[in-house]
Amino acid sequence: MKIAVASDHAGYDYRQMLKEYLLSLGHEVEDFGCPDKSSCDYPTFGRRAARAVQSGECERGVLVCGTGFGISLSANRLEGIRCVNATDALTVRLSRLHNNSNMISLGARVIGEEEAKFLLDTFLQTPFEGGRHARRIALIDDKTI
Ligand code: RB5
């Protein structure tokens, strides 16, 4: 799978760890920054990765900031992006089964590294259920409601 990754400065080291993990699983990784650990703005980098998922250039995306929340907000502003802020495994699993999440965000200051890998596995391995959930997802981007 081709996976877009991005983070701000708070997630820089964590992003390197996740990239290595994804590569070890055989995935292709496209890195959208940030370029180093100097202070930067999470929407800039989160949005770049989200655009790659939105366009279909990448199949999924992985984002990191301090909490995972800010960078997920910037991704979720884009139509077609469904980024789950990975607080726990059940949320991540249900976000795949019911919401067909196509991006995951992780909080480098909140989630331990081993747990992050488990959450990432859950995100990558859980299928979308479809059916009534597909109808609901279509409604998210429906401008008439
Ligand atoms: C950066 O200090 C921090 O605010 C950012 O990484 C993130 O947690 C925002 O949501």
Side-chain angles (χ1 to χ4, degrees):
M1 208 182 277
K2 188 171 177 185
I3 300 177
V5 301
S7 77
D8 69 356
H9 56 286
Y12 181 84
D13 286 334
Y14 203 92
R15 186 180 95 233
Q16 311 310 319
M17 177 275 293
L18 291 178
K19 265 168 57 178
E20 276 181 32
Y21 184 58
L22 288 168
L23 291 170
S24 78
L25 294 175
H27 296 290
E28 189 183 343
V29 173
E30 188 156 349
D31 192 342
F32 291 86
C34 59
D36 54 44
K37 288 195 215 179
S38 53
S39 183
C40 64
D41 302 325
Y42 55 81
T44 307
F45 301 99
R47 198 64 67 87
R48 286 178 190 166
R51 286 202 192 288
V53 175
Q54 185 186 42
S55 70
E57 180 192 341
C58 293
E59 205 172 323
R60 301 276 183 92
V62 178
L63 303 176
V64 188
C65 70
T67 59
F69 185 52
I71 203 160
S72 74
L73 289 176
S74 58
N76 278 320
R77 285 284 190 275
L78 296 188
E79 194 167 322
I81 294 298
R82 296 174 299 278
C83 181
V84 58
N85 188 15
T87 51
D88 62 273
L90 182 59
T91 298
V92 172
R93 181 169 158 74
L94 289 172
S95 82
R96 285 291 310 137
L97 288 170
H98 291 188
N99 313 114
N100 200 13
S101 55
N102 49 16
M103 299 190 81
I104 184 171
S105 65
L106 292 144
R109 294 172 178 161
V110 182
I111 305 286
E113 291 190 1
E114 289 310 309
E115 191 178 354
K117 290 177 188 170
F118 180 72
L119 294 170
L120 206 45
D121 288 340
T122 304
F123 173 68
L124 293 171
Q125 292 168 14
T126 307
F128 174 48
E129 266 182 18
R132 67 188 186 282
H133 301 297
R135 183 183 71 242
R136 291 167 185 163
I137 287 170
L139 286 169
I140 294 171
D141 294 321
D142 188 330
K143 307 278 186 298
T144 67
I145 57 170

